[in-house]
Amino acid sequence: MGNFLIILIFAITIYGGNGQRIKTLNIGALFYDDEYEIEESFVKTINLINSQNEVHIKLNPLIRRLYETEGSAILENKAVSLVENGVAAIFGPSSKTDSDIVSLLCNATGIPHILFDYLSEENDMLKVNHRMTINVFPSQAIMSKAYADIVQNFVWKKFTIVYNSEDASAPYRLQDLLQLKDINEKIVRVRTFKRGGDYRILWKSIKGERRVVLDCPPDILVDVLNASIPFGITAQFSHMFLTNLNTQMANFDDLRDNVTFAVNITAARLKLRESLNEDMNVWNSTDLLTMKLLPDLVHDAVMLFYLAVKNISVMYKINPPQITYNYQQEVEDPWPMGLYINRIMKVIASSDDSHFHYGFMQFDDSGHRNNFTLDIYEPVDNYLLATWDTDGHISQKEVEITNLKKIVYKVATRIGEPYFMLKEDAENRTGNDRYVGYAVDLITEIANVLKFDFLFVPVADNNYGKLNKETNQWDGIIGELINNDAHMGICDLTITQKRKAVVDFTVPFMQLGISILAYEKPIEQKPWNAFMEPFTNDVWVYVMISIFIIAFLFLFMARVSSSEWQNPHACNKDPEVLENTWDISNSFWLTMGSIMTAGSDILPRSAPMRTFNAMWWIFAIIVTNSYTANLAAFLTNSKMEGDIKGVEDLAKQSAVKFGTIQGGSTYTLFSESNETTFRLAYNMMQSEEPSVYTKTNDEGVERVLKNNGTYMFLMETTSLEYNTERNCKLKMLGETFGEKHYAIAVPFGAEYRSNLSVAILKLGELGKLFELKKKWWSYENNDCPQQEQGTSENNDLNFSEVRGIFYTLFVGIFVAYVVGITEFLIYVQHVAAEEKLTYKEALIKELKFVMKVWNNKKPITPGCSTRASSHMSGSTDKSSKSSKSRRSEMFKIDSRPELLEARSIKSLKSAIVNNIRDPRI
């Protein structure tokens, strides 16, 4: 047992010693002699990895230097020497070489090949020979798409592309933009230059161009830009987009202080990892950026390979490749671990970005990097404007600008509520203090954010901006901007296609639409008998007459029919009289109950009576259901505001005239729209005499008020809400259509447009835009009656429409109680007479009994039992009363004492029994 433990401990010691033994793994690199910064980053990253000692593998760099004068044969020999030295990967060379011999060599030997510079486009045949190659530099095809997206976001209608003709990769990077030139040469022009040439010739050929896409290396960028200054390329309102990802390395100090260099410059660069400045692990304490594109990409490439090896070494033993390469013979046994490392690198790249300078990476099947993010920034003062991702999304960023030139910006505007108005004492004030309104507050807030001064310049014609087709000139605010007489224009200025063709707009500060301004007619008070409106007056009269006539006809037929005369006492087989149930009250009750769907407790027996009654029931059903149906239709129609619910309804009628502002954005929408409804409405407005167009919104509002519902005005919802808030006689009719936006207009290419847009977005996020609209649109003195919600959408009844039903109920109850009280007082009179009481005593007695609601049995007074019984029964038949009188007399005679004595006890018992059995007693 002791020997076994010793052997086990020895085995564990040997195994542990082998497990802790550090293995050396060679990695090769090919750098040109002047790429010392890239080489330095490569070596520094390897030393950083080795110093952390996270895995028991040490990376050993083997570097081969290249010279531009050397050919592809020498490049191949140096690459073969790396393979024969057992390297586990080969990095490089950069794009300076025009040969893919290294990729072919790695593909044949199974050794991973990692690039860090742009790679030219490949066809399908070449992709098969480059299966072992991964490039951490962004794909040129996707970069081309990114540049096209950015330029499209600028909304450039016309621009010039300028690039270095000696750079073979430039056409690939700009291919999406260059394709526009093939479509229309008037939109896109292309110019090229050569390093060290006379750049003035280039700029002279496009003198006055305001929009330029420039692809230029950073080391000559400043010289190229300086050469453009005399030709107006870099003047104010011009815009230049720089596509080189290393533009930030250019020295812009001279241009920053040059007052003639006023061009708006935008550039693109790879976005750094967002958590780069937040991570405080051991790596970040020594892993610093070089702030140069290729050296940082070399770092990411080495880290990518290291992370793959680190993950593989946990489960597998990595043995360096031992391959002898002969270009005349195909390698029979490529390194099997190489393909696995290549596959793991693609997985690691998209799952962890903590060790990369440029964040997550993702590769396609050909090894091209197809997932990255670009920063869109201003390179002169180095502040971020937006970001672009591979989905084509451009996200604007919040920018704090502190270096805007201290100039007074002229703001063109027009007088119009509530955007721009003169103060009541404007003649006693000067400058901007003379004005008040939404636009005044908005531009003041923007100026506070961007730190600039401004001066309002109301346009002389007070127009927004309309193109005169005869002179081809714009008037109003747009004309001021085109002529460079103002720096920006602000009011309720709508973004339209024609205006965007001649000026630029910021992001919208207000979204709106178009709706119909209509006259609010006073609410009509419904009459008390509104519930009777489903039938006309003559129908009601006919129905009431029919009820009375049918009741009397029913009574007559009942008296004629023998089946309706019945024995009132079923126990008496030989009655003296027959009774008929159908008197006037019962006949009327059945007739009325049938038409009210209430029914009756007595029904006819004979066939004629039942036929008669059935026909009446059919009539009653039809009348009742007709009333119900007409009542529903009446309620529906009573809730409708009218036949006009929108533009489509306006265009289909001729009774109500409608119009809009002549030449405004709403007018343009109708005049240029291809939609049938809009075209029909426009044709109707054009054909009206006198003209339905107005010069201002105020004129349209006044016209609506004067015409009392025979004229409607098409206007923007913001102005419509402002007027309806202040005038109870106005209302908005129909839903909003034709979405519009208000924005600040600036001259084409104005450098401050993006800054204004960012400021507007910031004000929106802070809630300032909402506060400003609430301030100028809300009206504290609004005393308009509030309409009940849902009155225009459902058929709910209000009291004014059904109060007549309540009146009828109250009158009926009142009449019933008057009749009942009268009957009660008459009954009290009979009680007083029978019981020999005063009327007051009898009334008190009966009232006391009435108040005892818990007592449902009333005793019969002997002296008035017959009368009370007769009274309570309510019978009016004269024969019945006579029969009862005769029975009473017989009972009294038989009750005399002398007769009772003369008869025997047996006869007396028989008489008593017969009297008791007689139901008439």
Side-chain angles (χ1 to χ4, degrees):
M1 184 67 179
N3 293 334
F4 176 76
L5 291 176
I6 294 173
I7 295 173
L8 179 61
I9 294 172
F10 178 77
I12 293 174
T13 303
I14 296 298
Y15 177 79
N18 291 338
Q20 296 296 327
R21 186 178 303 166
I22 298 177
K23 296 182 179 180
T24 300
L25 195 64
N26 294 333
I27 57 174
L30 297 167
F31 300 127
Y32 281 88
D33 61 328
D34 58 349
E35 295 176 339
Y36 55 91
E37 291 180 339
I38 301 176
E39 181 179 339
E40 180 183 5
S41 177
F42 178 77
V43 175
K44 180 180 177 181
T45 305
I46 293 177
N47 293 335
L48 177 63
I49 292 172
N50 292 335
S51 65
Q52 301 305 318
N53 194 26
E54 290 187 341
V55 294
H56 305 297
I57 296 178
K58 180 180 180 180
L59 301 181
N60 180 40
L62 299 180
I63 299 176
R64 300 292 184 266
R65 290 183 177 82
L66 304 174
Y67 300 90
E68 294 186 17
T69 57
E70 295 176 345
S72 60
I74 298 177
L75 174 62
E76 181 182 6
N77 292 334
K78 293 182 178 181
V80 169
S81 69
L82 292 175
V83 172
E84 292 178 348
N85 278 277
V87 294
I90 297 179
F91 292 79
S94 66
S95 59
K96 289 185 177 182
T97 180
D98 57 357
S99 174
D100 64 342
I101 188 64
V102 180
S103 297
L104 296 175
L105 175 64
C106 291
N107 190 66
T109 58
I111 296 175
H113 181 214
I114 306 173
L115 294 176
F116 49 84
D117 203 354
Y118 58 81
L119 184 67
S120 300
E121 291 292 308
E122 299 176 334
N123 54 38
D124 294 338
M125 184 178 298
L126 292 177
K127 290 179 181 179
V128 175
N129 297 327
H130 297 165
R131 290 176 297 180
M132 297 302 297
T133 301
I134 289 180
N135 192 357
V136 298
F137 195 92
S139 166
Q140 296 298 288
I142 300 180
M143 286 297 301
S144 175
K145 178 181 179 297
Y147 295 148
D149 290 342
I150 295 172
V151 171
Q152 184 179 7
N153 185 67
F154 294 152
V155 198
W156 286 358
K157 306 299 182 182
K158 181 181 178 182
F159 58 93
T160 300
I161 301 175
V162 179
Y163 65 90
N164 184 5
S165 61
E166 297 175 333
D167 185 355
S169 63
Y172 295 111
R173 289 193 300 273
L174 305 174
Q175 59 181 330
D176 281 30
L177 293 174
L178 291 172
Q179 287 176 358
L180 298 177
K181 176 181 180 296
D182 298 334
I183 298 175
N184 193 338
E185 293 185 0
K186 295 182 179 180
I187 296 177
V188 179
R189 294 185 295 180
V190 178
R191 297 292 185 271
T192 60
F193 64 91
K194 291 184 178 181
R195 180 184 292 269
D198 191 350
Y199 306 130
R200 293 177 300 174
I201 300 176
L202 160 69
W203 299 119
K204 185 178 181 180
S205 65
I206 56 173
K207 182 179 180 180
E209 177 62 79
R210 284 186 159 184
R211 296 160 206 84
V212 176
V213 176
L214 177 59
D215 188 273
C216 181
D219 57 333
I220 62 172
L221 178 60
V222 175
D223 294 337
V224 173
L225 293 177
N226 278 326
S228 68
I229 294 177
F231 303 98
I233 306 297
T234 58
Q236 193 177 22
F237 307 139
S238 296
H239 193 178
M240 188 172 292
F241 176 50
L242 307 179
T243 61
N244 192 286
L245 296 181
N246 225 9
T247 297
Q248 71 270 12
M249 301 308 301
N251 185 8
F252 290 101
D253 292 340
D254 295 339
L255 296 177
R256 188 178 295 111
D257 299 331
N258 190 343
V259 295
T260 61
F261 188 81
V263 63
N264 180 22
I265 293 186
T266 305
R269 65 188 175 199
L270 273 181
K271 181 178 179 59
L272 295 173
R273 173 165 48 91
E274 293 183 357
S275 59
L276 191 62
N277 297 326
E278 300 175 1
D279 293 343
M280 298 302 294
N281 55 34
V282 66
W283 287 97
N284 295 107
S285 61
T286 55
D287 181 14
L288 300 178
L289 285 167
T290 65
M291 299 307 296
K292 295 181 180 180
L293 181 62
L294 294 187
D296 285 332
L297 285 176
V298 166
H299 166 275
D300 287 357
V302 175
M303 291 301 300
L304 179 63
F305 174 77
Y306 161 72
L307 292 175
V309 171
K310 175 183 174 181
N311 280 269
I312 294 174
S313 64
V314 175
M315 299 182 62
Y316 300 99
K317 182 179 180 181
I318 301 178
N319 294 318
Q322 297 178 358
I323 299 174
T324 301
Y325 178 76
N326 186 345
Y327 67 92
Q328 294 180 349
Q329 298 179 356
E330 183 178 355
V331 178
E332 296 181 356
D333 189 16
W335 188 36
M337 185 61 69
L339 185 61
Y340 187 52
I341 293 175
N342 188 283
R343 185 163 58 250
I344 294 300
M345 283 193 292
K346 294 181 180 179
V347 175
I348 293 296
S350 59
S351 61
D352 183 14
D353 72 332
S354 60
H355 297 87
F356 304 136
H357 287 172
Y358 290 112
F360 288 107
M361 289 182 283
Q362 186 174 338
F363 303 95
D364 59 17
D365 295 337
S366 300
H368 296 155
R369 183 175 181 178
N370 58 6
N371 187 13
F372 54 91
T373 303
L374 293 181
D375 281 340
I376 305 172
Y377 70 106
E378 205 281 348
V380 177
D381 296 302
N382 194 26
Y383 55 85
L384 184 64
L385 299 174
T387 59
W388 175 93
D389 58 32
T390 48
D391 291 331
H393 298 154
I394 296 180
S395 303
Q396 300 292 335
K397 300 298 180 180
E398 181 178 340
V399 182
E400 294 186 3
I401 310 299
T402 58
N403 62 335
L404 284 177
K405 296 178 174 63
K406 291 297 181 180
I407 63 174
V408 178
Y409 287 84
K410 295 181 180 179
V411 181
T413 185
R414 63 180 294 276
I415 302 294
E417 295 182 355
Y419 302 95
F420 192 76
M421 301 171 288
L422 287 170
K423 293 181 178 179
E424 294 181 357
D425 56 345
E427 62 276 4
N428 299 325
R429 300 175 181 268
T430 59
N432 296 337
D433 193 39
R434 301 175 63 241
Y435 310 109
V436 67
Y438 176 87
V440 177
D441 290 351
L442 176 60
I443 201 66
T444 301
E445 292 287 348
I446 295 175
N448 292 336
V449 174
L450 299 180
K451 310 299 181 185
F452 66 86
D453 298 326
F454 63 91
L455 176 65
F456 284 114
V457 183
V459 292
D461 55 11
N462 205 45
N463 289 334
Y464 298 97
K466 182 176 61 175
L467 177 65
N468 189 324
K469 296 182 179 180
E470 296 179 358
T471 62
N472 201 29
Q473 298 293 322
W474 286 81
D475 61 6
I477 297 175
I478 303 300
E480 294 288 304
L481 296 173
I482 294 175
N483 298 329
N484 290 328
D485 294 328
H487 296 90
M488 63 186 76
I490 182 171
C491 65
D492 50 334
L493 187 64
T494 308
I495 302 175
T496 64
Q497 182 180 2
K498 286 187 176 180
R499 291 170 182 170
K500 283 180 67 69
V502 293
V503 296
D504 279 338
F505 284 93
T506 63
V507 296
F509 60 80
M510 188 178 295
Q511 182 175 345
L512 61 144
I514 302 173
S515 192
I516 303 172
L517 181 69
Y519 182 75
E520 179 68 70
K521 294 183 179 179
I523 300 176
E524 296 181 359
Q525 183 70 20
K526 294 291 183 181
W528 69 269
N529 60 342
F531 71 96
M532 300 180 65
E533 293 193 15
F535 285 167
T536 59
N537 293 334
D538 55 345
V539 173
W540 284 114
V541 172
Y542 293 151
V543 170
M544 298 303 297
I545 293 175
S546 298
I547 293 175
F548 284 99
I549 293 177
I550 293 300
F552 284 105
L553 292 177
F554 195 88
L555 174 63
F556 178 77
M557 180 172 287
R559 298 187 67 83
V560 171
S561 177
S562 59
S563 299
E564 300 300 330
W565 295 92
Q566 297 293 322
N567 181 7
H569 306 290
C571 296
N572 188 358
K573 303 301 181 179
D574 188 17
E576 297 180 6
V577 294
L578 298 176
E579 288 185 351
N580 195 320
T581 307
W582 301 105
D583 54 13
I584 294 178
S585 60
N586 287 345
S587 298
F588 184 80
W589 180 253
L590 176 63
T591 306
M592 194 68 181
S594 299
I595 203 166
M596 298 298 293
T597 66
S600 177
D601 56 348
I602 54 176
L603 295 172
R605 297 180 179 89
S606 65
M609 288 287 291
R610 290 184 176 183
T611 304
F612 185 92
N613 200 50
M615 293 301 101
W616 172 249
W617 283 349
I618 294 174
F619 173 83
I621 291 174
I622 294 174
V623 170
T624 303
N625 291 341
S626 298
Y627 174 82
T628 305
N630 288 341
L631 179 63
F634 163 72
L635 295 177
T636 302
N637 294 332
S638 64
K639 298 300 180 181
M640 297 176 62
E641 297 180 355
D643 297 333
I644 299 176
K645 296 296 183 182
V647 178
E648 184 175 357
D649 295 329
L650 274 178
K652 292 180 179 179
Q653 57 82 46
S654 58
V656 178
K657 310 300 181 184
F658 58 95
T660 186
I661 296 180
Q662 176 75 39
S665 59
T666 304
Y667 174 89
T668 303
L669 172 65
F670 281 87
S671 62
E672 298 183 356
S673 176
N674 293 325
E675 188 174 345
T676 304
T677 301
F678 288 173
R679 292 299 304 174
L680 181 59
Y682 173 73
N683 293 334
M684 291 183 64
M685 289 188 289
Q686 287 289 97
S687 62
E688 292 294 344
E689 289 293 340
S691 176
V692 293
Y693 298 117
T694 64
K695 294 182 178 180
T696 63
N697 281 329
D698 293 339
E699 183 181 343
V701 172
E702 188 67 24
R703 193 165 177 178
V704 171
L705 292 172
K706 288 183 177 180
N707 286 272
N708 296 333
T710 59
Y711 178 83
M712 295 182 181
F713 190 64
L714 300 168
M715 66 188 307
E716 294 165 343
T717 53
T718 50
S719 300
L720 193 151
E721 292 170 2
Y722 181 80
N723 285 279
T724 54
E725 183 76 13
R726 286 157 176 76
N727 196 324
C728 301
K729 296 181 180 180
L730 298 173
K731 66 177 178 179
M732 184 175 75
L733 192 63
E735 297 182 353
T736 301
F737 62 94
E739 181 179 346
K740 294 184 177 184
H741 299 88
Y742 289 159
I744 300 176
V746 296
F748 257 143
E751 61 176 355
Y752 45 83
R753 178 179 68 92
S754 58
N755 300 334
L756 293 174
S757 297
V758 172
I760 292 173
L761 294 175
K762 182 176 182 179
L763 293 178
E765 293 173 356
L766 296 176
K768 293 291 185 180
L769 297 181
F770 175 77
E771 292 177 3
L772 289 180
K773 185 174 182 182
K774 183 178 180 181
K775 172 185 176 182
W776 289 104
W777 264 256
S778 299
Y779 188 56
E780 298 179 355
N781 299 326
N782 188 346
D783 56 354
C784 298
Q786 297 294 327
Q787 295 183 356
E788 297 181 3
Q789 293 183 355
T791 56
S792 62
E793 299 178 358
N794 54 52
N795 298 324
D796 295 342
L797 293 173
N798 54 46
F799 181 74
S800 65
E801 295 173 333
V802 298
R803 68 184 188 276
I805 301 176
F806 289 91
Y807 296 161
T808 304
L809 175 63
F810 297 153
V811 171
I813 294 174
F814 176 76
V815 172
Y817 265 84
V818 168
V819 174
I821 292 172
T822 302
E823 185 182 43
F824 176 75
L825 295 176
I826 295 173
Y827 169 71
V828 170
Q829 178 66 34
H830 289 290
V831 171
E834 294 290 342
E835 298 185 8
K836 298 184 179 350
L837 299 174
T838 64
Y839 187 83
K840 180 178 180 181
E841 290 174 342
L843 178 62
I844 294 174
K845 175 186 175 183
E846 293 299 325
L847 287 176
K848 287 182 178 180
F849 178 79
V850 170
M851 299 302 295
K852 296 178 181 180
V853 295
W854 58 87
N855 190 356
N856 293 330
K857 295 181 180 180
K858 185 176 183 180
I860 300 176
T861 305
C864 61
S865 59
T866 304
R867 185 185 300 272
S869 177
S870 176
H871 176 77
M872 297 303 292
S873 67
S875 174
T876 59
D877 189 272
K878 294 182 180 180
S879 62
S880 178
K881 290 181 179 180
S882 300
S883 176
K884 290 179 180 179
S885 177
R886 289 194 298 269
R887 288 196 300 269
S888 179
E889 293 296 331
M890 292 171 61
F891 184 81
K892 289 179 181 179
I893 293 172
D894 293 339
S895 299
R896 287 182 295 177
E898 55 271 22
L899 293 177
L900 293 175
E901 292 177 359
R903 295 178 182 179
S904 65
I905 297 175
K906 183 177 181 180
S907 301
L908 178 61
K909 288 183 179 180
S910 178
I912 293 174
V913 170
N914 290 333
N915 286 328
I916 292 175
R917 289 179 177 179
D918 191 347
R920 293 174 293 179
I921 297 178

